[in-house]
Amino acid sequence: MAERHTSAAVLVDSVDERAIDQTVPVLGRLVARQAGVVAVRVAERVVAIDVQVGDRVERGDILARLSDDRLESERRLWAAAVEAAKATVARDRAFLTKAQQAFARHEQLEGSTAYRKDRAEDAARDVDVARADLARSEAELAAATARLGLVETALADATIRAPYDGVVTVEHLAAGAYARVGDPIVTLMNDSDVEIEADVPADRLSALPSGTSVEAEVQNGGDIVVTVRAVVPEENPRTRTRAVRFTVEAGALDYTIAANQSVLLHIPIGGSRKVLTVSKDAIVRIGERSQVFVVIDGKALAKTVQLGESVGSRYQVLQGLLGGDTVVVRGNESLRSGQPVRVEF
């Protein structure tokens, strides 16, 4: 007695032609747009390092503190010098006013018997001297004010703050060390503002004008679409490649990433072409073979297929199917060849 199969409910899809772009894989890497050392701007002893490797900081957060005792004393010294210079300016301004008043009185006497030319000339010279003294004291006030500003800037620089949001990747100095101007304190990387850099063969660059969208596969992160921002105009003479920078859409990388993490880019190499494709959901893997169930006269018949490259959510069909074939895309996991099926919508 022949074995009877109960019908199975399935969803189906058609085998059809789709346009695909020819591409070549190029390995790239994630690079941070903001990364580097945060350096010391004043020479002082390190009092404390307030962060550790791996800490996430925001712009303005304190990274380290330098000794500020000497700088604070110097600030008070120059603050006093500014006040003294202000007093000198006020005195010299009063002397100038007095000299000008005396000269004016001599000028008013001109033409009278009380007028003395030598005294009028002496009064004019007194005005010149008072004006010079005031100019000198004003210059000294400006110099003292500038010096105070420099010390206050140095005092502020003794507290080292994060210049941008990021993660501390290297700690260069420890508390107690003496830091010179320009010495690195920590290395900081902004992992939320990244690009992709890839060394692309020079003969492929014609297909990558600025603004071109390219599919990419991020290691442990799935597929994303990136955009060409710039081609660096410098060629590696050994590999005949040029660095290309790709921008990543905000939010596309919504997981922890790392600088130099691998990215596989699919660089276009020619125009689009049409190929026969089948849904990825139709594929049933049996060992090394790929199999699909084709619905013919209400039955699901198993067919072995040879597949090519991926085309979005579909595969290129190299052999085993024809355009217009109806294949099972849901409910095919437990099907047997020749089993009756009910197509649901």
Side-chain angles (χ1 to χ4, degrees):
M1 185 175 180
E3 182 181 1
R4 299 182 63 184
H5 299 300
T6 58
S7 63
V10 296
L11 293 180
V12 297
D13 188 51
S14 295
V15 177
D16 58 18
E17 288 188 339
R18 299 286 175 94
I20 66 169
D21 295 320
Q22 291 180 292
T23 61
V24 61
V26 172
L27 193 63
R29 57 201 170 275
L30 289 172
V31 292
R33 298 183 65 183
Q34 288 183 309
V37 297
V38 179
V40 176
R41 298 183 64 182
V42 292
E44 268 297 349
R45 178 176 54 84
V46 180
V47 173
I49 303 293
D50 292 78
V51 293
Q52 298 180 6
V53 172
D55 284 354
R56 188 171 295 277
V57 298
E58 296 182 356
R59 180 179 180 180
D61 285 352
I62 296 176
L63 302 177
R65 286 169 289 137
L66 307 181
S67 174
D68 60 2
D69 297 347
R70 180 183 59 81
L71 292 171
E72 179 57 34
S73 296
E74 193 172 354
R75 187 198 67 80
R76 290 196 297 268
L77 175 65
W78 283 102
V82 168
E83 293 304 316
K86 287 180 179 179
T88 302
V89 167
R91 182 201 63 191
D92 290 345
R93 186 171 289 122
F95 284 162
L96 175 60
T97 300
K98 181 179 179 181
Q100 288 173 331
Q101 290 172 344
F103 177 71
R105 285 195 296 269
H106 283 288
E107 288 287 293
Q108 291 173 354
L109 294 175
E110 187 175 3
S112 68
T113 57
Y115 178 74
R116 295 279 301 273
K117 183 179 180 181
D118 56 339
R119 291 183 179 180
E121 290 175 347
D122 288 344
R125 299 292 81 76
D126 289 343
V127 170
D128 293 339
V129 171
R131 187 175 286 115
D133 288 342
L134 177 60
R136 182 184 63 237
S137 60
E138 287 178 337
E140 290 173 350
L141 173 60
T145 302
R147 182 61 184 175
L148 176 61
L150 289 173
V151 174
E152 288 177 338
T153 299
L155 192 59
D157 289 339
T159 301
I160 301 170
R161 299 179 181 274
Y164 48 81
D165 298 350
V167 177
V168 177
T169 58
V170 182
E171 186 178 329
H172 296 280
L173 292 177
Y178 185 82
R180 296 167 298 178
V181 175
D183 282 353
I185 284 286
V186 298
T187 296
L188 197 62
M189 182 191 76
N190 185 351
D191 61 343
S192 63
D193 186 11
V194 297
E195 289 187 330
I196 294 173
E197 183 177 83
D199 297 321
V200 179
D203 57 357
R204 305 297 188 197
L205 295 174
S206 60
L208 291 176
S210 180
T212 301
S213 295
V214 174
E215 291 185 358
E217 300 175 28
V218 182
Q219 183 183 33
N220 302 324
D223 299 337
I224 60 173
V225 176
V226 298
T227 304
V228 177
R229 180 178 66 81
V231 177
V232 179
E234 182 178 2
E235 187 168 312
N236 187 322
R238 292 178 298 175
T239 61
R240 296 303 174 189
T241 59
R242 298 182 194 174
V244 180
R245 285 292 184 107
F246 301 83
T247 58
V248 181
E249 185 177 347
L253 300 173
D254 55 353
Y255 49 87
T256 302
I257 62 172
N260 296 315
Q261 184 174 342
S262 296
V263 180
L264 185 64
L265 297 155
H266 299 285
I267 304 300
I269 60 173
S272 63
R273 57 192 175 93
K274 286 190 174 182
V275 297
L276 195 64
T277 66
V278 63
S279 171
K280 290 182 178 180
D281 292 335
I283 307 302
V284 178
R285 304 290 184 180
I286 303 176
E288 297 295 324
R289 294 188 300 116
S290 297
Q291 178 179 281
V292 300
F293 287 95
V294 181
V295 177
I296 300 176
D297 297 331
K299 294 182 179 180
L301 301 179
K303 285 192 174 184
T304 298
V305 294
Q306 184 179 350
L307 303 175
E309 60 187 291
S310 175
V311 187
S313 62
R314 304 174 73 84
Y315 281 119
Q316 178 186 6
V317 178
L318 300 178
Q319 189 175 345
L321 295 172
L322 299 174
D325 281 350
T326 300
V327 295
V328 178
V329 294
R330 186 171 299 174
N332 51 357
E333 298 85 356
S334 58
L335 281 179
R336 287 171 291 179
S337 186
Q339 184 175 354
V341 292
R342 302 188 314 276
V343 177
E344 294 187 346
F345 301 94

